Amino acid sequence: MARIREFDEQKALTEAMRLFWEKGYEATSLSDLTTRMGIQKPSIYAAFGDKSSLFEAALRKYNQLHAMNVRTKLNKTASVKEAFKMLFLEGAFTDADFVQNGCFCVNTMVELAPHDTRFEVLTREHQQYLAVIFEGTIKRGIASGELQAGIDCKATAHALVASFIGITVMKKSNPGPVWVDSCISAAMKLLPAVGEADG
């Protein structure tokens, strides 16, 4: 009979996600993980595999939470432009510590994707999924009569994802509200409302 695990696996994985998000893969030791997760090394190996496998599980959890929060925020208001503005301003996560950590997915893209195909694929797939969410939101704005019908939805979604990720990373250096607001205003010009001039 398999032994019943005496800890909350999802809670432990969330703590691992937070730690990897804060410190990155290389700077996080197994001792750091056992302390944060509240379990010992044999339990980590039994539940998640080695450190790399645990990191992958943590990244997948982050990507799922991130996409869910993005979708929720974009559906919060009837105005698509206002929804994008608030998402870009607040980010997917509003906790101050999370803002300082930037985007876990992008951090992974920088640290591991150039050297590990598995993480190259995972980070690219997440950006592509965000683009699908953005594209659907833009189409909703066109259907409602808020946005101009001639928008290239797919290309605009890709550009907005790039802007969103860039602003998220930039916030790690505390650039100040004026800088952030100007970046958001420029990004919003990609979404011309009915009656506005393009650009």
Side-chain angles (χ1 to χ4, degrees):
M1 179 182 294
R3 183 178 178 181
I4 299 174
R5 290 188 180 131
E6 299 176 349
F7 65 93
D8 186 326
E9 189 171 317
Q10 286 305 307
K11 183 178 179 182
L13 181 58
T14 296
E15 291 304 320
M17 179 193 76
R18 289 170 178 261
L19 183 59
F20 280 130
W21 191 356
E22 292 167 14
K23 301 185 67 174
Y25 180 77
E26 292 296 341
T28 301
S29 67
L30 278 172
S31 295
D32 293 332
L33 288 164
T34 56
T35 299
R36 179 67 72 91
M37 296 170 75
I39 58 179
Q40 298 304 309
K41 291 179 185 178
S43 295
I44 291 178
Y45 290 130
F48 306 106
D50 60 12
K51 179 183 170 183
S52 179
S53 297
L54 174 58
F55 185 89
E56 180 180 350
L59 178 61
R60 288 182 182 278
K61 185 176 185 68
Y62 170 88
N63 287 350
Q64 182 181 35
L65 289 171
H66 187 261
M68 180 179 68
N69 283 5
V70 166
R71 188 185 292 278
T72 297
K73 288 196 171 189
L74 287 176
N75 288 326
K76 230 175 183 181
T77 63
S79 168
V80 165
K81 288 198 74 165
E82 286 304 313
F84 272 114
K85 283 180 186 177
M86 292 309 299
L87 174 64
F88 278 44
L89 182 62
E90 297 177 353
F93 301 95
T94 54
D95 186 292
D97 291 336
F98 291 169
V99 172
Q100 191 62 37
N101 291 335
C103 175
F104 183 21
C105 185
V106 173
N107 295 347
T108 302
M109 183 174 63
V110 173
E111 182 183 13
L112 297 179
H115 319 292
D116 191 319
T117 304
R118 177 177 34 160
F119 294 112
E120 175 193 337
V121 171
L122 276 175
T123 54
R124 183 173 63 247
E125 285 180 345
H126 183 58
Q127 292 168 59
Q128 291 171 341
Y129 187 55
L130 290 181
V132 170
I133 296 173
F134 281 21
E135 183 177 353
T137 305
I138 295 166
K139 288 179 178 178
R140 175 164 61 86
I142 293 172
S144 71
E146 179 186 1
L147 302 180
Q148 293 181 14
I151 297 172
D152 184 333
C153 297
K154 181 169 287 188
T156 301
H158 291 173
L160 287 173
V161 167
S163 297
F164 177 54
I165 291 173
I167 290 170
T168 302
V169 173
M170 185 178 65
K171 286 180 179 177
K172 293 178 70 173
S173 63
N174 297 312
V178 174
W179 186 289
V180 173
D181 288 347
S182 67
C183 291
I184 294 174
S185 294
M188 291 307 101
K189 289 181 180 178
L190 294 168
L191 297 171
V194 171
E196 289 180 350
D198 290 336

